[in-house]
Amino acid sequence: MPVASSTATSGRLLSLLSLLQARRDWPGALLAGRLGVSERTVRRDVDRLRELGYPVQAVKGPDGGYRLEAGGRMPPLLFDEEQAVALAVALRIAVGTGAGIEEAAARALATVRQVLPARLRQRVDVLEIAAAGGSAVQVAPDTLLALSSAIRATEEVRFDYETPSRPVDGAPRRIQPHHLLVRSGRWYLVGWSAERADWRTYRVDRMRLRVPNGPRFTPREVPGGDVAVFLSARFKGSDTDRWPCRGEVLLDRPVAEVAPFAGDAVAEEATSGRTRLLSGSWSWAALAASLLRFECEIEVVGPPQLRAAFAELAAHATKAAGEVSRPR
């Protein structure tokens, strides 16, 4: 009997902890009703949680109640099955973000995986997540935390910025930070430049923050309202998430050979052994050059600008090749 009673108490404590983690304030009567016990039992269980290190505070008011506060140390946490799987997936993604937390994320993932039930462990293990577009570029965690804090506080940041073609000069740049996000293994800061009255995008690994931060600012909404779409459009040299130059061609290759290398282009079978490809780029010359990578006969469907770009590219190629002696 004592064993059964102890088991019931332990199960009830876990249920109580799960409820306290699910919302900020819980009236004592509501907790008692959810657990199917008296309010006196709830008070005793709260005392047991406090002994285990969980900072449960009493909430004053007409109904009374309890609140799980942040403590001086992190006590054991309780997750339901969906939360545990989501946490494992997030940790696996974090290993490839370049945020400087790869080792800690890998150790945390190993800890979570170890305590997962077998069926959930199998769901997590079948996930193969890698950073798209190559290896992640390392960024100092302190830089990410500082930028995140500035975004939340709506404070302007000052920083030095170095690129391969432009070394750091004496004057720091200033930006009103709005969003911090990852694309193809790199962290980017999207912000508003009051000096240039325009949006700017910076690679975080090239930023060297200066202290203190600048003045506070009023947040703005990025054009279109979706920062991921906005950043994708900037990489395409467009104000929308569409390439400014788009064309259609027929390739003398089967669609099975074209599709794996089509990127964001649309490839479909035209006839047996030929592929219709709708592709885009930031310029007509760049689009024509990118299509040559398929190393096959190309028929331009349209528009005329693409056909002209092929002609111009051919002229440049002929000039670059120089005089070629004809075989006798």
Side-chain angles (χ1 to χ4, degrees):
M1 182 66 65
V3 173
S5 176
S6 176
T7 301
T9 300
S10 299
R12 194 175 63 248
L13 285 177
L14 290 175
S15 298
L16 173 59
L17 179 58
S18 179
L19 291 173
L20 289 172
Q21 290 178 166
R23 57 182 276 183
R24 180 168 176 79
D25 294 326
W26 278 95
L30 183 57
L31 277 177
R34 294 289 293 270
L35 296 172
V37 297
S38 66
E39 292 188 49
R40 181 179 179 183
T41 299
V42 170
R43 288 194 295 271
R44 288 202 301 265
D45 287 347
V46 166
D47 288 337
R48 292 190 180 99
L49 288 179
R50 288 168 177 162
E51 292 173 0
L52 293 173
Y54 293 95
V56 183
Q57 303 295 329
V59 178
K60 297 180 180 180
D63 297 329
Y66 303 95
R67 173 188 303 162
L68 183 62
E69 299 280 6
R73 62 185 179 88
M74 181 178 293
L77 302 177
L78 182 67
F79 299 101
D80 61 31
E81 292 188 357
E82 291 184 355
Q83 289 174 323
V85 172
L87 178 61
V89 172
L91 288 170
R92 180 158 292 183
I93 293 174
V95 173
T97 60
I101 58 171
E102 290 80 3
E103 182 181 351
R107 287 190 284 108
L109 176 60
T111 301
V112 172
R113 184 188 177 281
Q114 183 177 354
V115 298
L116 287 175
R119 66 183 187 282
L120 298 184
R121 193 181 307 126
Q122 292 174 358
R123 288 175 57 187
V124 171
D125 288 347
V126 298
L127 290 171
E128 293 294 338
I129 302 173
S135 302
V137 176
Q138 295 296 312
V139 176
D142 290 346
T143 301
L144 295 175
L145 292 174
L147 290 174
S148 297
S149 298
I151 292 171
R152 288 195 302 272
T154 61
E155 292 178 347
E156 184 181 79
V157 294
R158 303 181 306 122
F159 60 96
D160 297 314
Y161 195 72
E162 183 175 9
T163 66
S165 61
R166 180 180 299 178
V168 174
D169 52 30
R173 304 192 186 192
R174 310 176 73 94
I175 198 75
Q176 296 175 1
H178 282 69
H179 299 278
L180 192 62
L181 64 164
V182 181
R183 175 187 168 90
S184 300
R186 291 183 173 89
W187 286 87
Y188 292 93
L189 177 71
V190 176
W192 174 260
S193 171
E195 180 182 3
R196 302 191 180 186
D198 193 13
W199 291 93
R200 288 290 186 268
T201 302
Y202 297 98
R203 273 180 52 173
V204 176
D205 61 294
R206 294 175 174 175
M207 300 175 65
R208 301 294 179 268
L209 298 182
R210 293 198 180 191
V211 292
N213 289 340
R216 301 193 66 178
F217 61 88
T218 301
R220 299 168 179 263
E221 185 175 286
V222 296
D226 189 321
V227 66
V229 173
F230 171 80
L231 183 62
S232 179
R234 281 298 174 100
F235 275 95
K236 294 177 178 177
S238 171
D239 291 333
T240 62
D241 193 20
R242 288 173 58 88
W243 291 111
C245 301
R246 292 171 61 83
E248 182 179 346
V249 296
L250 293 173
L251 304 176
D252 279 346
R253 277 191 180 274
V255 68
E257 296 180 7
V258 173
F261 307 100
D264 62 355
V266 177
E268 61 181 7
E269 187 176 33
T271 59
S272 179
R274 301 191 80 197
T275 299
R276 184 183 306 276
L277 190 71
L278 180 63
S279 186
S281 188
W282 55 84
S283 71
W284 294 112
L287 178 55
S290 69
L291 293 171
L292 291 176
R293 73 186 185 276
F294 292 104
E295 296 184 345
C296 65
E297 294 295 324
I298 301 174
E299 178 185 341
V300 178
V301 178
Q305 294 94 322
L306 179 57
R307 188 173 290 106
F310 270 112
E312 184 177 355
L313 192 62
H316 287 309
T318 300
K319 184 177 180 180
E323 291 294 333
V324 179
S325 60
R326 297 182 179 179
R328 295 180 179 179

